[in-house]
């Protein structure tokens, strides 16, 4: 495998004092981050202590600089804003506070990671940077020692591109070897201060790894986990947590994708819409996440305290609890939700959008805590167009409706199938265009009427069952040869419906 840094700009590897300004510098071979040396100095100013590297010009606009820095005089820091990153273009220098208090710095080597943008560094030509450095503000004069500040590995990097055959830990090992310090393993936990891109052709297999995007002064668009086209991704048992604004995107055509038993925590946005044959997406959990765009079937997954799921696939045995926006799920049909459960959060559980043509769908999920029919927190929100009817077969629980359109909604509870199959006695084959009529014995109400299809079947899949009901009727075909004699039909509709066959005898021979 291999890794390639994204948007790498090398500023200084601190192997020479040339270019270092605002103090007297020397090389330090024993206290360093990479290579053979760091650059060191003795900072003794009461107030501003600057160390800059001058060179370039570098185009750093919207990139993330990473400045290796270490100091031994934290006791002398000013009470507020003691550590700042400086960026200059030769005529204007701006300073961005990195540590607001001396307690923010725990000592030792740190990477001062910050996005180079106009907010952090106003007035500077970020496309032609000539000075990069660190300012330490003291409240009293540090004592004069041979060296009390060290600098190393100044560069800009936005992320890592992973190629070959890999997992997260292997990528971190290569990062350590190159001292990119974008992706580090600390005590078995992987910390990603940048984008992780699984590139085209990569075979990425990860099991039970924990990855955290830490809180840093980075842009809201930096933190990403994504996969390029034609890669193969198999991730199980992953814990992915963000302390910043992170995005997970699997949207390109992939060779394969399996995401199983993963936990996504505080991820800002998630997209699972890859073009891939037979993906696996099951037993995943989403906690405190932003919106999810779900374009592949999900099974046994759970979203808790998360934003809307925009669904173009199906959810099976999934839980959507305490959604933080309305609706919990946006989809075009209740048939996309199979045996799911909803616990009320903000607004509606499901938004079906606009229904422009009469149709039927089935609700077999459970919902609790939503409002009554017609209220702003009803379980399902829909806009049925004028002259159209939405029929909902209610086989679940907690279903209430808010229809904001001029059309109508017909809810049928306890729907069962009533089916008659007509067969010719002499051939055993189905009879098409046989007329079938069935009525309830108790009151003569019509239950089923019409002509059979090419399979000899006529059915109603949405008959509302309220109790066992005796029915009777007939099947006949007296026009359009071949002709058949009338065949009687009788039986009982039960909680599992009613299915029978009518055997017809030829009447034209």
């Amino acid at each position: 495998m291999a890794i390639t840094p994204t948007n790498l700009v090398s500023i200084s590897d601190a192997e020479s004092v040339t270019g270092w300004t605002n103090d007297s510098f020397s090389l330090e071979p024993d206290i360093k981050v990479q290579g053979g040396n760091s650059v060191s100095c003795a900072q003794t100013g009461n107030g501003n202590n600057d160390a800059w590297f001058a060179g370039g010009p570098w185009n750093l606009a919207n990139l993330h600089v990473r400045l290796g820095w270490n100091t031994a005089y934290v006791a002398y820091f000013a009470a507020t804003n003691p550590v700042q990153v400086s960026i200059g273009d030769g005529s204007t220098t701006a300073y961005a506070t990195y540590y607001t208090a001396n307690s923010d710095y725990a000592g030792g080597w740190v990477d001062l990671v910050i996005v180079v943008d106009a907010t952090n560094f106003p007035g500077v030509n970020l496309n032609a940077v000539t000075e990069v450095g660190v300012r330490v503000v003291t409240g009293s004069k540090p004592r004069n020692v041979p060296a009390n500040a060290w600098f190393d590995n100044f560069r800009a990097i936005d992320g890592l591109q992973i190629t070959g055959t890999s997992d997260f830990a292997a990528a971190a090992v290569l990062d350590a070897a190159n001292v990119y310090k974008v992706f580090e393993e600390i005590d078995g936990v992987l910390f990603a201060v940048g984008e992780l891109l699984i590139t085209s052709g990569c075979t990425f297999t990860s099991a039970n790894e924990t990855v955290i995007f830490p809180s840093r002064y980075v842009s809201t668009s930096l933190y990403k986990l994504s996969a390029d086209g034609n890669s193969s991704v198999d991730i199980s048992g992953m814990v992915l947590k963000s302390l910043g604004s992170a995005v997970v995107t699997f949207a390109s055509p992939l060779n394969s994708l399996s995401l199983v038993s993963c936990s996504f925590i505080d991820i800002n946005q998630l997209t699972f819409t890859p073009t891939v044959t037979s993906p696996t997406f099951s037993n995943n959990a989403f906690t405190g996440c932003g919106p999810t765009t779900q374009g592949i079937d999900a099974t046994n997954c759970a979203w808790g305290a998360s934003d809307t799921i925009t669904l173009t696939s199906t959810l099976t045995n999934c839980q959507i609890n305490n959604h933080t926006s309305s609706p919990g799920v946006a989809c075009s049909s209740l048939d996309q939700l199979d045996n799911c459960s909803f616990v009320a959060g903000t607004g509606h559980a499901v938004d079906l959008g606009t229904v422009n043509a009469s149709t039927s769908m089935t609700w077999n999920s459970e919902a609790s805590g939503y409002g009554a029919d017609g209220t702003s927190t009803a379980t399902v929100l829909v806009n049925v167009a004028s002259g159209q009817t939405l029929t909902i077969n209610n086989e679940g629980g907690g279903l209430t409706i808010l229809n904001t359109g001029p059309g109508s909604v017909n809810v049928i509870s306890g729907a069962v199938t009533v089916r008659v199959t007509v067969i010719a006695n002499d051939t055993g084959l189905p009879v098409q265009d046989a007329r079938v009529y069935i009525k309830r014995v108790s009151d003569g109400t019509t239950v089923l009427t019409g002509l059979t299809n090419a399979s000899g079947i006529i059915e109603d899949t949405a008959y509302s069952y309220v109790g066992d009901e005796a029915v009777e009727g007939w099947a006949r075909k007296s026009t359009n040869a071949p002709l058949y004699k009338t065949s009687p039909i009788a039986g009982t509709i039960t909680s599992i419906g009613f299915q029978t066959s009518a055997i017809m005898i030829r009447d034209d021979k």
Side-chain angles (χ1 to χ4, degrees), residues 483-503:
L483 306 180
Y484 293 89
K485 296 179 180 179
T486 299
S487 176
I489 297 172
T492 302
I493 299 174
T494 68
S495 60
I496 61 173
F498 175 75
Q499 298 187 40
T500 191
S501 296
I503 309 301

Side-chain angles (χ1 to χ4, degrees), residues 185-205:
E185 182 174 352
I186 302 174
D187 296 331
V189 177
L190 295 143
F191 292 86
V193 191
E195 177 184 8
L196 301 177
L197 174 62
I198 301 167
T199 61
S200 178
C202 180
T203 300
F204 192 89
T205 303

Side-chain angles (χ1 to χ4, degrees), residues 84-453:
Q84 302 165 18
V85 173
S86 60
I87 298 289
D89 60 12
S91 60
T92 301
T93 301
Y95 301 85
T97 297
Y98 201 87
Y99 293 136
T100 59
N102 53 18
S103 59
D104 293 337
Y105 173 58
W109 282 105
V110 294
D111 239 7
L112 304 179
V113 183
I114 190 167
V115 61
V116 181
D117 61 16
T119 300
N120 288 327
F121 304 101
V124 177
N125 183 356
L126 304 179
N127 298 302
V129 173
T130 58
E131 301 163 347
V132 178
V134 181
R135 167 174 284 183
V136 176
V137 183
T138 59
S140 59
K141 179 181 173 65
R143 63 190 181 89
N144 196 352
V145 293
N148 59 14
W150 298 267
F151 309 88
D152 199 358
N153 201 25
F154 278 23
R155 75 272 182 225
I157 305 176
D158 279 346
L160 295 180
Q161 301 171 36
I162 305 171
T163 60
T165 301
S166 181
D167 60 8
F168 290 120
V173 169
L174 286 181
D175 182 293
N178 289 278
V179 202
Y180 294 136
K181 297 183 77 67
V182 173
F183 198 35
E184 295 184 278
E185 182 174 352
I186 302 174
D187 296 331
V189 177
L190 295 143
F191 292 86
V193 191
E195 177 184 8
L196 301 177
L197 174 62
I198 301 167
T199 61
S200 178
C202 180
T203 300
F204 192 89
T205 303
S206 168
N208 303 317
E209 296 184 292
T210 298
V211 178
I212 294 177
F213 290 108
S215 177
R216 296 290 187 270
Y217 294 100
V218 300
S219 70
T220 56
S221 62
L222 178 67
Y223 286 158
K224 298 184 185 74
L225 171 62
S226 56
D228 249 351
N230 301 318
S231 57
S232 300
V233 179
D234 184 352
I235 300 177
S236 62
M238 173 185 69
V239 176
L240 183 68
K241 178 177 176 61
S242 176
L243 300 176
S245 179
V247 173
V248 174
T249 304
F250 291 91
S252 300
L254 302 178
N255 291 336
S256 63
L257 175 64
S258 177
L259 292 173
V260 176
S261 300
C262 297
S263 294
F264 299 88
I265 304 171
D266 298 332
I267 306 300
N268 192 55
Q269 184 174 335
L270 304 110
T271 301
F272 303 105
T273 58
T275 303
V276 60
T277 302
S278 301
T280 301
F281 195 99
S282 64
N283 299 97
N284 299 310
F286 304 84
T287 304
C289 292
T292 299
T293 302
Q294 192 70 34
I296 54 178
D297 294 346
T299 304
N300 298 324
C301 294
W303 282 261
S306 296
D307 212 329
T308 298
I309 304 165
T310 300
L311 185 64
T312 57
S313 54
T314 62
L315 302 182
T316 301
N317 298 325
C318 292
Q319 301 175 20
I320 300 90
N321 298 332
N322 308 116
H323 44 92
T324 55
S325 65
S326 182
V329 174
C331 58
S332 60
S333 174
L334 296 177
D335 294 336
Q336 294 171 256
L337 306 169
D338 185 10
N339 196 34
C340 295
S341 67
F342 293 81
V343 174
T346 300
H348 306 282
V350 182
D351 186 349
L352 295 174
T354 299
V355 174
N356 288 311
S358 294
T359 188
S360 64
M361 54 188 70
T362 298
W363 168 262
N364 68 353
S365 297
E366 296 289 332
S368 63
Y370 295 93
D373 285 326
T375 65
S376 61
T377 57
T379 307
V380 175
L381 172 66
V382 65
N383 183 331
V384 182
S386 178
Q388 308 304 317
T389 299
L390 170 62
T391 300
I392 299 177
N393 304 314
N394 184 12
E395 298 177 3
L399 176 65
T400 57
I401 307 292
L402 172 59
N403 175 23
T404 59
S408 61
V409 177
N410 180 26
V411 177
I412 300 174
S413 297
V416 297
T417 297
V418 176
R419 176 187 296 172
V420 174
T421 303
V422 178
I423 300 172
N425 177 63
D426 55 343
T427 64
L429 297 176
V431 178
Q432 185 176 0
D433 294 330
R435 181 164 297 279
V436 174
Y437 174 75
I438 299 176
K439 65 179 181 180
R440 291 205 299 248
V441 173
S442 61
D443 58 9
T445 300
T446 299
V447 171
L448 186 68
T449 184
L451 300 177
T452 57
N453 61 21

